[in-house]
Amino acid sequence: MHKITRSTHELRYIYSNMQQRCYNKNNPRYQDWGGRGIQMCEAWLGKNGFYNFVKDVEETIGTRPQGYTLDRINNSKGYSKNNIRWATPSEQNYNRRRLPNKTNKTNISYCEHMKNKYRVLLYVNSKTVHIGYYKNISLAVAARDRAIKELLQ
């Protein structure tokens, strides 16, 4: 393995931002991560934490593709080598907690990955509206966006 230098490594900002969101109560995003109990796995903390993080990322999901960001597969679980992936901003936006829109009680969308399909649901006025099943995330996002546009008209 090549020598890992924290001050120059391409993953240094990802690691630092992840730490800040999980453990710094003064970070503006803390309540959405650390405040919900989202933490980094023990191996990624302490003296060898950065080295272990880089090693796990490289072995598990490989080099970061251009335009991709680190994403937790299960948004309710913490950061660990078994719960990370590289994701496009659109995919990452799709994989997040949905909070109710307090103005019209609409919890806009949800996606389930089921047997090589993506199921898109909208929550409208406390009711579930099934939009459909799609063979990839791009088609699911497009369908979700169309449904939301129609809903808001």
Side-chain angles (χ1 to χ4, degrees):
M1 178 185 282
H2 61 279
K3 183 175 180 182
I4 295 173
T5 306
R6 185 171 178 170
S7 63
T8 59
H9 198 282
E10 66 179 338
L11 298 178
R12 69 189 178 278
Y13 294 117
I14 291 172
Y15 181 82
S16 177
N17 289 334
M18 181 173 50
Q19 267 189 320
Q20 289 294 311
R21 288 189 305 264
C22 290
Y23 300 107
N24 181 355
K25 291 181 181 178
N26 295 319
N27 185 290
R29 304 305 306 271
Y30 173 81
Q31 82 174 50
D32 294 321
W33 276 266
R36 291 195 307 122
I38 302 300
Q39 298 180 341
M40 295 163 57
C41 69
E42 193 171 318
W44 295 358
L45 300 172
K47 182 179 177 185
N48 294 318
F50 180 71
Y51 170 81
N52 293 333
F53 166 72
V54 170
K55 181 176 173 271
D56 285 348
V57 167
E58 289 177 349
E59 289 177 358
T60 307
I61 60 176
T63 305
R64 178 183 180 185
Q66 187 170 350
Y68 283 61
T69 57
L70 189 68
D71 187 33
R72 285 175 292 122
I73 296 166
N74 182 332
N75 201 2
S76 297
K77 294 184 179 181
Y79 290 97
S80 70
K81 68 180 181 179
N82 296 320
N83 193 38
I84 57 169
R85 66 179 178 166
W86 293 120
T88 64
S90 178
E91 290 169 329
Q92 197 166 58
N93 185 46
Y94 209 61
N95 181 30
R96 66 181 196 185
R97 286 184 305 146
R98 302 296 175 205
L99 301 175
N101 177 329
K102 294 184 181 355
T103 59
N104 63 8
K105 296 184 181 178
T106 302
N107 188 347
I108 294 294
S109 63
Y110 175 74
C111 176
E112 286 181 299
H113 188 224
M114 311 168 53
K115 296 183 181 179
N116 298 322
K117 294 180 187 176
Y118 291 85
R119 180 181 183 196
V120 177
L121 303 171
L122 296 183
Y123 295 102
V124 182
N125 297 323
S126 302
K127 293 183 182 177
T128 303
V129 179
H130 173 78
I131 302 303
Y133 292 94
Y134 303 89
K135 62 182 174 181
N136 64 49
I137 191 74
S138 298
L139 293 173
V141 169
R144 175 206 61 186
D145 292 347
R146 281 191 307 274
I148 291 170
K149 188 175 180 181
E150 290 174 15
L151 174 70
L152 297 177
Q153 289 180 348

